[in-house]
Amino acid sequence: MTLDDFDRAASTVTSLVTALRDDQWALPTACADWDVRAVVNHLAHGNAKVAFWAGAGPPAPEGDYLGASPASAFGASVAAARAVLAEPGLFSRQVTTPLGEVPGVFLVHMRVNEYLAHGWDLADATGASTDLLPDLAEGALAQWRSRFGSAARPPGGPFGPEAEAPPGATAADRLAAFLGRKAVNG
């Protein structure tokens, strides 16, 4: 996984965010407790955490990362995360994440997977196409399948039990189903 993959996933999600109309920020999403704004804020918060995980900044506290101009704030958070990810040597050194000690390149994997999962949430909630980056979605699905296998997913966790993907589902739809997502808009 490379910065090109990060750029493609970030660009896709940024396009979804900048296309949001004022009346769409409060729409429900497949993330049961989060509306569209909460999903975008979660992504911006994750972008802020990249600096901490990379050892390049302080912890990113919970809170509002979007302010009065959510789309602009989200775009700035993507740019800040990318700047950290582009630091020379990051990919080959060890960093500490919630998943333990991993090579720095894993931070790209984390962001791409988050962008795909939550990009799907945003697309589904707003009626946009959920056919997001098929090659990256296939890769993310393989990673998640390897990580979770058929292990039980406890209630209240970040991912629900695997849902059934509809016949002919896109790679992103299959990824969403594997992560327990059920469409709210279709």
Side-chain angles (χ1 to χ4, degrees):
M1 186 138 311
T2 66
L3 279 177
D4 288 343
D5 296 332
F6 173 88
D7 291 341
R8 290 175 55 218
S11 176
T12 296
V13 173
T14 300
S15 292
L16 290 167
V17 171
T18 58
L20 289 169
R21 299 183 316 262
D22 289 344
D23 64 328
Q24 292 179 310
W25 288 94
L27 290 174
T29 70
C31 293
D33 296 332
W34 290 349
D35 63 12
V36 166
R37 184 182 172 96
V39 169
V40 175
N41 191 67
H42 170 74
L43 287 170
H45 183 222
N47 289 337
K49 289 179 182 179
V50 169
F52 176 66
W53 293 329
E62 296 292 329
D64 179 20
Y65 283 80
L66 301 179
S69 299
S72 296
F74 178 74
S77 79
V78 169
R82 192 195 192 286
V84 170
L85 294 172
E87 285 293 317
L90 174 66
F91 284 13
S92 59
R93 68 178 170 80
Q94 292 293 106
V95 298
T96 303
T97 73
L99 303 174
E101 292 283 319
V102 294
V105 71
F106 191 75
L107 295 176
V108 174
H109 292 273
M110 290 174 66
R111 296 317 307 142
V112 168
N113 287 349
E114 282 275 304
Y115 289 155
L116 289 168
H118 292 303
W120 185 93
D121 295 332
L122 297 174
D124 172 62
T126 61
S129 172
T130 58
D131 189 10
L132 308 174
L133 302 164
D135 61 321
L136 293 181
E138 287 287 357
L141 179 57
Q143 287 174 2
W144 284 113
R145 283 191 190 285
S146 171
R147 183 166 171 216
F148 283 136
S150 60
R153 301 179 201 168
F159 306 109
E162 183 174 0
E164 187 173 333
T170 67
D173 290 336
R174 291 191 317 275
L175 172 62
F178 182 77
L179 297 176
R181 304 296 207 272
K182 293 179 182 151
V184 295
N185 189 22

